Amino acid sequence: MWQQRVFIGNMQRFCLVEIGSTTSAGEVLQIVDGQGALEHGAGSGGWMVWEVSQDFGMERPIRNFELLSDVCGSWNTDKTVNLLVIKRTLLAPRLSISAMPASSPICSGYVQYEYKRGKWQKRWMELREHSIWLSKKDNTKDQTFLCSLSNFDAYFVTRVHKAPRSYVFAVKSTDSITFFENTSDYVHVFATGEGEGKNWVEKILLARSYVLYQERNVLSSGPSSSGLHRAGTRVQPGQRPAQPLVDVNPRNDVPVSAVGFQPGSLLAKRIP
């Protein structure tokens, strides 16, 4: 357990909240609301806890079922610039459990991708199977995998960015940056028109919600649980499914030479 400052609306006022390993963002909302800190109360709707990642100049809404220990645990402990803020957003009903999509959202279109700081390229981007892919053209012949939403999420970019389009957003890892050998893989920035950008952010947020819901509310419940279920592993075209090379637990009554070894090989001969 630790005490965490949770700001209300802006940096002018905050509440001290005790957070543990199982404390969710929704529970923090209830605690702060119980202190009378939310205008018209949490029941008036639209309130969400936000992660403000000031070290990267971006922020995102934290879903009510997310654990704050996971969010705060990914922060750089050498810096104290990141914080939690409670504020209203139109995304609140879209990111609630009751609005969980029945399948992972898909989206595609051209974006400007910042492949190097200050350097941009036009790329065709696809969101599918809760992962993001990039290619030079919409025929996707040279498509490459960028990141998976199992450990990346959408962020609104708040720091002024010199970009070729008006609306800038990002996908950033929800893990610690220390897990990345190449820190340029930790965050990916895009620029589009405003309408396109807002659509991308919402679709990515929903796809991430879908992944989190499966991992924390379905898989842990076992096969008898109701609701969404993760699809089985898919075999990519041209890829053979993995199979054991030998039977490591042969029946005692089967000769060693019958366990799939080539006749005449050393392994096919019985050991006296």
Side-chain angles (χ1 to χ4, degrees), residues 19-247:
I19 294 176
S21 60
T22 60
T23 305
S24 68
E27 290 171 330
V28 166
L29 273 179
Q30 294 175 357
I31 293 170
V32 173
D33 188 32
Q35 299 177 14
L38 301 183
E39 184 182 1
H40 305 304
S44 59
W47 294 102
M48 290 189 75
V49 181
W50 286 65
E51 174 193 8
V52 179
S53 181
Q54 294 194 126
D55 47 0
F56 286 95
M58 52 190 64
E59 62 184 18
R60 72 171 179 96
I62 305 173
R63 301 155 189 85
N64 283 350
F65 54 87
E66 287 189 66
L67 302 182
L68 292 182
S69 57
D70 292 343
V71 177
C72 299
S74 69
W75 293 350
N76 187 344
T77 55
D78 296 333
K79 299 180 180 180
T80 56
V81 296
N82 294 344
L83 45 95
L84 300 175
V85 179
I86 295 177
K87 57 183 180 179
R88 289 183 184 273
T89 172
L90 295 175
L91 288 168
R94 297 287 288 138
L95 298 179
S96 66
I97 289 183
S98 61
M100 191 66 60
S103 60
S104 186
I106 59 174
C107 189
S108 61
Y110 280 106
V111 299
Q112 291 288 334
Y113 171 56
E114 191 178 36
Y115 67 96
K116 189 184 296 184
R117 189 172 181 83
K119 304 291 185 181
W120 300 82
Q121 294 173 331
K122 185 178 180 180
R123 288 291 181 264
W124 176 261
M125 186 161 79
E126 286 192 1
L127 166 64
R128 71 174 195 276
E129 298 174 345
H130 34 264
S131 297
I132 295 178
W133 308 75
L134 292 179
S135 57
K136 291 182 179 179
K137 296 183 179 180
D138 57 5
N139 58 21
T140 68
K141 288 183 177 179
D142 60 342
Q143 194 170 68
T144 58
F145 171 81
L146 187 67
C147 64
S148 167
L149 298 183
S150 61
N151 61 341
F152 275 76
D153 208 344
Y155 282 76
F156 296 93
V157 174
T158 55
R159 185 175 297 162
V160 176
H161 229 81
K162 189 175 181 180
R165 301 293 299 277
S166 59
Y167 192 90
V168 181
F169 67 97
V171 289
K172 186 178 78 66
S173 175
T174 55
D175 292 328
S176 170
I177 196 171
T178 57
F179 294 168
F180 287 75
E181 184 176 346
N182 186 352
T183 55
S184 65
D185 294 331
Y186 187 70
V187 59
H188 306 285
V189 181
F190 309 92
T192 64
E194 183 175 354
E196 302 166 80
K198 288 181 177 179
N199 182 58
W200 271 112
V201 170
E202 182 173 320
K203 289 291 178 60
I204 295 171
L205 287 170
L206 286 173
R208 168 71 172 164
S209 291
Y210 181 84
V211 173
L212 287 175
Y213 182 82
Q214 282 194 323
E215 290 180 349
R216 296 186 177 168
N217 296 282
V218 175
L219 296 182
S220 60
S221 302
S224 61
S225 63
S226 60
L228 304 175
H229 296 273
R230 173 177 287 176
T233 303
R234 297 183 179 182
V235 179
Q236 298 296 325
Q239 178 183 346
R240 297 176 59 188
Q243 296 179 348
L245 296 178
V246 297
D247 185 354

